[in-house]
Amino acid sequence: MEQEVVISRSSDVQSAVAELCSKLKKSPSSYQAVIFLAAINYDFSALSVAIKEKFPTSEVIGASTAGEITPDGFTNNSVVLTTLSDTGTKVRGVLVEHGSKYPVASKGDIEKALRDCGIRTNDPNSHKDSFAITFINGVFNAEETILSNFYSIIKNDNFPLAGGTAGFTGNTPKTFVSYNGRTTQDGAVFLFVKTRCKFFIRQEDIFNPTGKSVLVTQSDPVNRKIMSFNGRPAKQVYAEKLGVSETQAESMTFENPFGRFLDGSLHIVALAGFTPEGI
């Protein structure tokens, strides 16, 4: 499978798309899939449409970001575009809308995308030659419902998913995902891949453990609120663990997340922020 990665820092949507396309080695019709990640300061809907217009025969998915990863490292305020092409690979995307309230409404669309890609549901071997890339909007706390709905459809707990949560920066909690020019703030995008190529999906955690730990003693799992650590207000304990004031702690949650151990694996979980009550 051949991959190309190009980047543009142009703030204008049309200029950015033109620059991205000019850096690719082949014509737009040569690529089966296009994946783009864009800083939140872009007009995401316009960018999604503009990229799809340049790649009319490709499956195009995208997500907003809180920082972009390029071949040269991390950057900000850019668009990073990745293309995939391989004659022995089939791809198909699907957009899940209203994911926090009605994820089941996309059941038929997901099933069709799987069929179009040649992936069978209720097949215990489907994970051996297939996987999915997915971006989920994290603002509406819909990850669990969307993923539970997907696995109830595929009926194979070993089916691998790669990707992450669409990101945002600033004080406004907004994120975007898109498929073939269509955009949503509450949902997810899947790109199903069936291939004869060998593949390996690896989890990367870029944070180092501090050796400090806390115990969640009061929480609201449905609304994803943590009221207390170790029997005390959450923000107070968090600030103490970092050795900073509570005011300073408010701006440190992204760069100082928690690590949860689930089934022996470490999973990074960043706090979205604190309420005025310190939860």
Side-chain angles (χ1 to χ4, degrees):
M1 185 180 299
E2 184 177 350
Q3 177 185 15
E4 293 182 51
V5 181
V6 293
I7 180 174
S8 173
R9 293 184 174 85
S10 175
S11 59
D12 175 72
V13 166
Q14 294 298 331
S15 298
V17 173
E19 181 182 1
L20 291 167
C21 292
S22 70
K23 292 181 177 179
L24 293 172
K25 299 175 182 177
K26 298 185 290 187
S27 65
S29 61
S30 303
Y31 304 108
Q32 291 156 284
V34 173
I35 303 167
F36 71 93
L37 301 172
I40 199 65
N41 52 291
Y42 285 93
D43 182 334
F44 194 85
S45 295
L47 181 63
S48 300
V49 171
I51 292 177
K52 179 57 183 177
E53 288 177 348
K54 292 292 185 180
F55 300 91
T57 62
S58 305
E59 293 290 278
V60 181
I61 69 169
S64 60
T65 60
E68 298 78 59
I69 301 175
T70 76
D72 298 321
F74 291 99
T75 187
N76 289 289
N77 302 321
S78 65
V79 183
V80 178
L81 185 142
T82 299
T83 62
L84 301 176
S85 56
D86 179 70
T87 56
T89 298
K90 294 184 65 175
V91 296
R92 188 70 70 205
V94 62
L95 186 69
V96 175
E97 299 182 275
H98 311 295
S100 64
K101 294 183 178 180
Y102 314 112
V104 179
S106 298
K107 180 176 183 290
D109 293 335
I110 293 174
E111 290 175 331
K112 183 179 186 303
L114 287 167
R115 287 196 304 271
D116 291 346
C117 200
I119 302 172
R120 294 182 297 180
T121 60
N122 202 25
D123 180 356
N125 295 311
S126 61
H127 63 286
K128 294 181 178 180
D129 62 358
S130 306
F131 63 93
I133 299 171
T134 181
F135 301 123
I136 303 178
N137 183 306
V139 173
F140 292 89
N141 302 334
E143 293 99 322
E144 285 84 359
T145 55
I146 290 172
L147 294 180
S148 295
N149 181 56
F150 169 72
Y151 278 106
S152 73
I153 295 170
I154 194 69
K155 294 182 175 64
N156 179 357
D157 291 343
N158 293 315
F159 192 89
L161 298 178
T165 301
F168 71 95
T169 54
N171 297 321
T172 304
K174 61 178 181 179
T175 72
F176 300 93
V177 295
S178 74
Y179 168 60
N180 281 352
R182 292 169 52 205
T183 300
T184 183
Q185 286 199 69
D186 179 13
V189 61
F190 288 81
L191 180 69
F192 298 117
V193 181
K194 184 170 183 178
T195 182
R196 294 184 300 205
C197 300
K198 293 182 179 180
F199 61 87
F200 173 70
I201 296 175
R202 182 174 62 187
Q203 175 183 317
E204 286 285 354
D205 290 317
I206 61 174
F207 296 94
N208 296 317
T210 63
K212 301 175 182 180
S213 63
V214 296
L215 175 66
V216 177
T217 48
Q218 186 180 3
S219 66
D220 179 356
V222 174
N223 294 304
R224 291 188 175 183
K225 292 183 179 180
I226 298 174
M227 277 69 82
S228 68
F229 293 128
N230 303 337
R232 297 164 55 210
K235 182 163 69 170
Q236 184 182 107
V237 175
Y238 180 79
E240 287 181 3
K241 292 293 183 180
L242 294 178
V244 299
S245 69
E246 291 186 33
T247 300
Q248 290 174 308
E250 293 176 357
S251 62
M252 298 176 67
T253 57
F254 184 75
E255 294 183 354
N256 297 270
F258 287 100
R260 296 187 300 178
F261 276 99
L262 300 174
D263 297 327
S265 299
L266 179 65
H267 299 268
I268 300 301
V269 182
L271 297 176
F274 296 100
T275 67
E277 296 78 23
I279 60 177

Coordinates of all heavy atoms in Angstrom, one line a residue, residues 26 34 44 57 66 76 86 95 105 114 129 170 175 183 193 210 219 225 244 258 268:
K26 N 1.0 12.0 -7.8 CA 0.1 11.4 -8.9 C -1.2 12.3 -9.0 O -1.4 13.2 -8.2 CB -0.3 10.0 -8.5 CG 0.9 9.0 -8.5 CD 0.5 7.6 -8.2 CE 0.0 7.3 -6.9 NZ -0.3 5.9 -6.6
V34 N -8.4 9.4 0.9 CA -7.8 10.6 1.3 C -8.2 10.9 2.7 O -9.4 10.9 3.0 CB -8.2 11.8 0.3 CG1 -7.6 13.1 0.9 CG2 -7.7 11.5 -1.1
F44 N -14.0 24.4 8.4 CA -13.9 23.0 8.2 C -14.9 22.5 7.1 O -14.6 21.7 6.3 CB -14.2 22.2 9.5 CG -13.8 20.8 9.4 CD1 -12.4 20.4 9.6 CD2 -14.7 19.8 9.1 CE1 -12.1 19.1 9.6 CE2 -14.3 18.5 9.0 CZ -13.0 18.1 9.2
T57 N -13.3 10.8 -7.0 CA -13.4 9.3 -7.1 C -12.9 8.7 -5.8 O -12.9 7.4 -5.7 CB -12.7 8.8 -8.3 OG1 -11.3 9.1 -8.2 CG2 -13.3 9.4 -9.6
A66 N -6.2 19.3 17.4 CA -5.7 20.2 18.4 C -4.1 20.2 18.3 O -3.4 20.1 19.3 CB -6.1 19.8 19.8
N76 N 1.2 23.2 14.3 CA -0.1 23.8 14.6 C -0.6 24.6 13.4 O 0.2 25.0 12.6 CB -0.1 24.6 15.8 CG 0.0 23.8 17.1 OD1 -0.9 23.1 17.5 ND2 1.2 23.9 17.7
D86 N -3.6 1.3 -3.5 CA -3.2 -0.1 -3.6 C -4.2 -0.9 -4.4 O -5.4 -0.8 -4.1 CB -3.0 -0.7 -2.2 CG -2.5 -2.1 -2.3 OD1 -1.3 -2.3 -2.8 OD2 -3.3 -3.0 -2.0
L95 N -20.5 8.2 7.4 CA -20.6 9.2 8.4 C -21.7 8.9 9.3 O -22.8 8.5 8.9 CB -20.9 10.6 7.7 CG -20.9 11.8 8.6 CD1 -19.5 12.1 9.1 CD2 -21.5 13.0 7.8
A105 N -29.3 5.0 14.4 CA -29.9 5.4 13.2 C -29.0 5.2 12.0 O -29.4 5.1 10.9 CB -30.3 6.9 13.3
L114 N -19.8 -1.6 5.0 CA -19.1 -2.8 5.2 C -19.3 -3.8 4.0 O -18.3 -4.4 3.5 CB -19.6 -3.5 6.5 CG -19.2 -2.9 7.8 CD1 -20.0 -3.4 9.0 CD2 -17.7 -3.1 8.1
D129 N -8.1 -9.6 7.6 CA -7.7 -8.8 6.4 C -8.4 -7.5 6.3 O -8.5 -6.9 5.3 CB -8.1 -9.7 5.2 CG -9.6 -10.0 5.0 OD1 -10.3 -9.6 5.9 OD2 -9.9 -10.6 4.0
G170 N -8.6 26.2 22.0 CA -9.4 27.4 22.4 C -10.4 27.2 23.4 O -10.5 26.1 24.0
T175 N -15.8 20.5 17.6 CA -14.9 19.6 16.8 C -15.7 19.2 15.6 O -17.0 19.3 15.6 CB -14.5 18.4 17.5 OG1 -15.6 17.5 17.7 CG2 -13.9 18.7 18.9
T183 N -20.3 17.2 6.7 CA -19.6 17.5 8.0 C -20.6 17.4 9.1 O -21.8 17.8 8.9 CB -19.0 18.9 7.9 OG1 -18.0 19.0 6.9 CG2 -18.4 19.2 9.3
V193 N -11.3 -0.6 5.6 CA -10.3 -1.0 4.7 C -10.2 -2.5 4.7 O -10.0 -3.2 5.8 CB -8.9 -0.4 5.2 CG1 -7.8 -0.8 4.2 CG2 -9.0 1.1 5.3
T210 N 4.2 9.7 35.9 CA 4.8 10.4 37.0 C 5.0 9.6 38.3 O 5.7 10.0 39.2 CB 4.0 11.7 37.4 OG1 2.7 11.2 37.9 CG2 3.8 12.6 36.2
S219 N -18.2 10.2 41.1 CA -18.3 10.6 39.7 C -19.7 10.4 39.2 O -20.6 9.8 39.8 CB -17.3 9.7 38.9 OG -17.7 8.3 39.0
K225 N -18.4 13.4 34.6 CA -18.0 14.3 35.6 C -17.3 13.6 36.7 O -17.9 12.6 37.2 CB -19.1 15.2 36.1 CG -19.7 16.2 35.0 CD -20.8 17.0 35.6 CE -21.3 18.0 34.6 NZ -22.4 18.9 35.2
V244 N 0.9 22.9 41.6 CA 0.6 24.2 41.1 C -0.7 24.7 41.8 O -1.3 24.0 42.5 CB 0.4 24.2 39.6 CG1 1.7 23.8 38.8 CG2 -0.8 23.3 39.2
F258 N -4.6 12.0 32.6 CA -4.5 10.8 33.4 C -4.2 9.6 32.5 O -4.5 9.6 31.3 CB -5.8 10.6 34.1 CG -6.1 11.6 35.3 CD1 -6.9 12.7 35.1 CD2 -5.5 11.4 36.5 CE1 -7.1 13.6 36.1 CE2 -5.7 12.3 37.5 CZ -6.5 13.4 37.3
I268 N -4.6 6.9 27.8 CA -4.5 8.3 28.2 C -5.9 8.9 28.1 O -6.6 8.8 27.1 CB -3.5 9.0 27.3 CG1 -2.1 8.4 27.3 CG2 -3.4 10.5 27.7 CD1 -1.6 8.3 28.7

